[in-house]
């Protein structure tokens, strides 16, 4: 354990540009000393901040550089290596759902259930996960003792701590297994964190569906044989994000992972259209509105930012084994699957096509020339860019050159210091300044 902690401390120091070996060794010895003398108090070193737009949910933050910070980092690696959690990709879950929905166009005997957990992370007792699942894995005694110290100090799996993600996903895995066991008519089931969807190949009464879901909740999260100081509060939100759909419900629609899925009837066949959920349209509208209101007096800067926001922004990051991984960002990437059924919800198409024009009108700001001209405005039409899969590739060999990137940075941040900066650092600076993120 000591060697692993030393390695984590060293890696943390190097990441923070502390290269003096004597300073690193001093930090390592300090952390090891506190660890060996049991000077660990998770409660005192974890603070909380409100992080959602409505300021209702808390994000846990561990004091950077504390012994608790390094121990939690170590525990995260230990638990991840032991239980190997399978974190699903949002895009993969979406595509698998679309593939299965495509098979329904001639079906009449089916049931779709869309559900959501209420305050998922905040509802899961850390002690409960440990006693129900973790302690049955092949951890060493030292590892188990350290894990127990953590779960006894952290009542619930608060978002913000990587270890919480693993504990919550472990409970999600148990939930998934039970769903598949109790619902044999399931032709598709998937869950992305706290959002779930089930497609059954027969019509099942809604009361029966709710009863089955509640049974799974009770079996997985309320096992009476598990003793804890802090009880689970997990439940499905049947009032807000729950929907029950059969052929007779059509026309109807539901939201899932930011998409709006619209069902209509074409004679006796089912026709499906895709769109952005109202919540996501509002989110992106407000973000673009904030940017335009902030920079509209600097037309050159705003034009460059809107150009980047209108396309997929693609760059690479190096992993530990020096293999480059491609990362894509932006609305065009997040909603690149809108054309899956070749039919897009009209409100979404209009939103994406006229996003910037509508915002300028809303703000009562004169429309810039590049949005007035039909030939140049097409480059800022997000729907058109999704159709044509337009992207800006930040790669010095096959994409934006370093000289062009520096010119762009001079536009968005004229006082940036380029001295000794590598290409990836320039990409990071530019994307952050364009409100895309890195």
């Amino acid at each position: 354990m000591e060697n692993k902690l030393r390695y984590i401390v060293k890696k943390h120091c190097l990441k923070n540009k502390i290269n003096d070996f004597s300073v690193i060794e001093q930090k390592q010895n300090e952390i090891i000393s506190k660890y060996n003398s049991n000077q660990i108090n998770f409660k005192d070193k974890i603070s909380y901040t409100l992080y959602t737009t409505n300021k209702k949910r808390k994000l846990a933050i561990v004091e950077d550089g504390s012994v608790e910070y390094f121990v939690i980092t170590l525990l995260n690696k230990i638990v991840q290596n032991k239980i190997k959690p399978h974190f699903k990709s949002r895009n993969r879950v979406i595509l698998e759902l679309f593939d299965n929905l495509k098979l329904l166009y001639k079906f009449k005997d089916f049931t779709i259930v869309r559900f959501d957990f209420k305050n998922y992370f905040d509802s899961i007792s850390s002690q409960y996960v440990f006693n129900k699942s973790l302690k049955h894995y092949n951890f060493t005694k030292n590892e188990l003792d350290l894990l127990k110290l953590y779960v006894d100090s952290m009542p619930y799996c608060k978002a913000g701590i990587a270890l919480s993600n693993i504990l919550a996903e472990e409970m999600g895995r148990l939930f998934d297994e039970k769903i598949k066991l109790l619902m044999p008519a399931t032709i598709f089931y998937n869950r992305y964190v706290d959002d779930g969807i089930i497609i059954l190949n027969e019509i099942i009464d809604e009361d029966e569906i709710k009863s089955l879901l509640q049974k799974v909740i009770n079996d997985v999260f309320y096992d009476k044989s598990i003793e804890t100081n802090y009880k689970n509060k997990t439940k499905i939100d049947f009032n807000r994000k729950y929907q029950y759909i059969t052929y007779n419900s059509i026309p109807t629609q539901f939201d899932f992972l930011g998409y709006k899925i619209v069902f209509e009837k074409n004679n006796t066949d089912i026709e499906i259209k895709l769109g952005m959920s109202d919540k996501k349209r509002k989110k992106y509208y407000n973000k673009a509105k904030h940017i335009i209101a902030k920079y509209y007096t600097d037309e050159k800067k705003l034009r460059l930012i809107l150009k980047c926001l209108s396309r997929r922004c693609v760059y690479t990051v190096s992993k530990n084994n020096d293999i480059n991984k491609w990362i894509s960002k932006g609305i065009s990437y997040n909603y690149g699957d809108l054309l899956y059924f070749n039919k897009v919800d009209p409100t979404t198409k209009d939103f994406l096509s006229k996003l910037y024009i509508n915002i300028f009108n809303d703000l009562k700001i004169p429309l810039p020339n590049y949005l007035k001209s039909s030939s140049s405005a097409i480059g800022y039409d997000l729907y058109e860019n999704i159709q044509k899969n337009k992207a800006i590739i930040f790669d010095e060999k096959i994409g934006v050159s370093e000289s062009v990137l520096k010119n762009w940075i001079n536009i968005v941040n004229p006082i940036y210091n380029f001295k000794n900066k590598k290409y990836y650092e320039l990409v990071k600076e530019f994307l952050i300044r364009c409100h895309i993120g890195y």
Side-chain angles (χ1 to χ4, degrees):
M1 295 287 271
E2 287 188 19
N3 289 337
K4 291 177 181 177
L5 271 176
R6 286 186 180 277
Y7 173 77
I8 291 170
V9 173
K10 179 182 177 181
K11 192 173 179 181
H12 179 267
C13 289
L14 294 174
K15 183 180 178 181
N16 287 277
K17 304 187 184 304
I18 299 173
N19 299 309
D20 187 324
F21 180 75
S22 62
V23 175
I24 294 174
E25 186 176 31
Q26 183 180 353
K27 184 66 175 178
Q28 288 174 324
N29 291 337
E30 174 197 336
I31 296 302
I32 296 300
S33 174
K34 289 181 178 179
Y35 169 74
N36 286 333
S37 58
N38 294 319
Q39 295 181 42
I40 301 173
N41 190 326
F42 293 108
K43 285 184 179 179
D44 285 353
K45 298 299 180 180
I46 294 177
S47 58
Y48 299 92
T49 181
L50 298 171
Y51 73 101
T52 56
T53 52
N54 57 14
K55 302 297 183 184
K56 288 184 178 179
R57 298 189 67 186
K58 288 183 177 180
L59 184 75
I61 301 172
V62 187
E63 183 181 305
D64 191 16
S66 64
V67 64
E68 290 80 6
Y69 173 89
F70 293 112
V71 169
I72 289 176
T73 303
L74 174 60
L75 282 175
N76 181 62
K77 291 181 179 297
I78 290 171
V79 176
Q80 191 162 10
N81 289 336
K82 194 71 66 174
I83 72 176
K84 295 178 171 52
H86 178 59
F87 294 107
K88 299 167 185 173
S89 156
R90 170 189 175 271
N91 284 2
R92 184 171 180 179
V93 171
I94 283 291
L95 284 176
E96 287 177 358
L97 170 62
F98 293 168
D99 283 339
N100 281 273
L101 288 176
K102 206 169 187 177
L103 302 175
L104 296 181
Y105 77 105
K106 287 187 179 294
F107 277 42
K108 289 188 178 180
D109 294 338
F110 67 84
T111 305
I112 299 175
V113 180
R114 159 82 176 92
F115 66 90
D116 178 76
F117 290 99
K118 188 171 183 178
N119 299 330
Y120 187 56
F121 286 93
D122 294 348
S123 74
I124 299 175
S125 162
S126 301
Q127 286 182 332
Y128 186 91
V129 186
F130 177 84
N131 288 324
K132 184 170 180 65
S133 181
L134 292 188
K135 71 179 185 180
H136 301 299
Y137 283 90
N138 188 29
F139 290 105
T140 66
K141 183 180 183 306
N142 284 344
E143 291 168 347
L144 280 175
D145 289 344
L146 204 55
L147 265 173
K148 190 170 188 313
L149 177 65
Y150 173 81
V151 300
D152 287 346
S153 303
M154 289 294 295
Y156 294 95
C157 299
K158 291 289 185 181
I161 298 177
L163 186 55
S164 290
N165 296 342
I166 298 177
L167 299 186
E169 189 55 34
E170 177 66 5
M171 291 307 300
R173 181 188 67 80
L174 299 177
F175 179 86
D176 298 343
E177 290 178 354
K178 202 72 172 180
I179 284 280
K180 294 169 185 176
L181 184 65
L182 291 183
M183 296 189 183
T186 299
I187 57 173
F188 175 77
Y189 165 75
N190 224 321
R191 174 190 53 80
Y192 182 77
V193 190
D194 56 354
D195 289 293
I197 189 164
I198 309 169
I199 303 177
L200 303 133
N201 62 2
E202 62 185 39
I203 297 176
I204 299 181
D205 183 77
E206 184 173 9
D207 288 339
E208 184 179 351
I209 287 287
K210 286 184 174 181
S211 177
L212 284 169
L213 285 172
Q214 192 56 55
K215 176 171 173 47
V216 176
I217 288 287
N218 292 340
D219 289 351
V220 173
F221 293 95
Y222 296 95
D223 185 339
K224 293 179 180 178
S225 68
I226 306 298
E227 294 184 3
T228 62
N229 295 329
Y230 305 100
K231 305 297 181 184
N232 280 331
K233 299 181 285 187
T234 314
K235 60 182 178 181
I236 289 175
D237 190 346
F238 285 113
N239 296 319
R240 291 176 61 252
K241 290 188 178 180
Y242 168 84
Q243 279 180 276
Y244 169 86
I245 297 169
T246 66
Y247 181 82
N248 294 330
S249 307
I250 300 172
T252 190
Q253 66 183 48
F254 69 89
D255 293 349
F256 188 65
L257 300 186
Y259 277 91
K260 175 167 65 176
I261 301 164
V262 181
F263 291 84
E264 296 175 351
K265 285 181 183 175
N266 184 1
N267 297 320
T268 57
D269 291 347
I270 298 171
E271 187 173 89
I272 302 175
K273 296 178 182 177
L274 293 181
M276 297 173 68
S277 69
D278 294 345
K279 182 179 179 181
K280 290 298 182 182
R281 288 208 309 271
K282 182 178 180 181
K283 171 188 172 182
Y284 288 120
Y285 186 90
N286 288 338
K287 178 179 179 179
K289 185 177 180 180
H290 171 76
I291 290 169
I292 290 171
K294 185 175 182 179
Y295 301 119
Y296 79 92
T297 56
D298 188 341
E299 184 171 313
K300 193 174 182 181
K301 180 175 183 176
L302 179 59
R303 183 173 185 174
L304 179 57
I305 291 174
L306 294 185
K307 175 185 175 180
C308 294
L309 286 174
S310 302
R311 294 160 173 77
R312 283 190 305 116
C313 289
V314 185
Y315 60 94
T316 59
V317 293
S318 296
K319 306 303 285 183
N320 292 334
N321 52 4
D322 293 329
I323 296 175
N324 284 342
K325 178 182 178 182
W326 288 97
I327 303 291
S328 293
K329 291 285 182 72
I331 303 175
S332 296
Y333 168 69
N334 291 336
Y335 288 92
D337 300 315
L338 272 174
L339 307 175
Y340 189 89
F341 294 105
N342 297 319
K343 291 187 180 293
V344 177
D345 169 55
T347 58
T348 294
K349 183 176 179 180
D350 185 70
F351 171 82
L352 291 169
S353 297
K354 302 175 183 176
L355 176 60
Y356 303 136
I357 294 173
N358 287 338
I359 291 172
F360 273 97
N361 291 335
D362 185 18
L363 291 171
K364 295 181 173 53
I365 298 172
L367 207 61
N369 290 329
Y370 58 87
L371 290 180
K372 286 181 182 177
S373 166
S374 58
S375 58
S376 59
I378 196 71
Y380 301 87
D381 181 330
L382 277 79
Y383 182 71
E384 178 80 9
N385 290 343
I386 288 173
Q387 281 188 309
K388 294 183 177 179
N389 197 26
K390 286 189 176 180
I392 300 175
I393 300 174
F394 292 93
D395 183 280
E396 52 190 330
K397 293 180 180 178
I398 62 171
V400 177
S401 68
E402 184 173 333
S403 61
V404 170
L405 183 54
K406 285 182 175 180
N407 287 336
W408 286 359
I409 292 175
N410 276 327
I411 293 172
V412 297
N413 182 15
I415 62 172
Y416 183 71
N417 183 3
F418 293 98
K419 187 177 180 180
N420 298 325
K421 294 296 193 301
K422 297 181 180 179
Y423 185 85
Y424 80 90
E425 293 176 294
L426 301 179
V427 173
K428 182 177 181 179
E429 169 67 17
F430 180 70
L431 293 179
I432 289 173
R433 290 287 176 174
C434 288
H435 302 266
I436 292 167
Y438 183 86

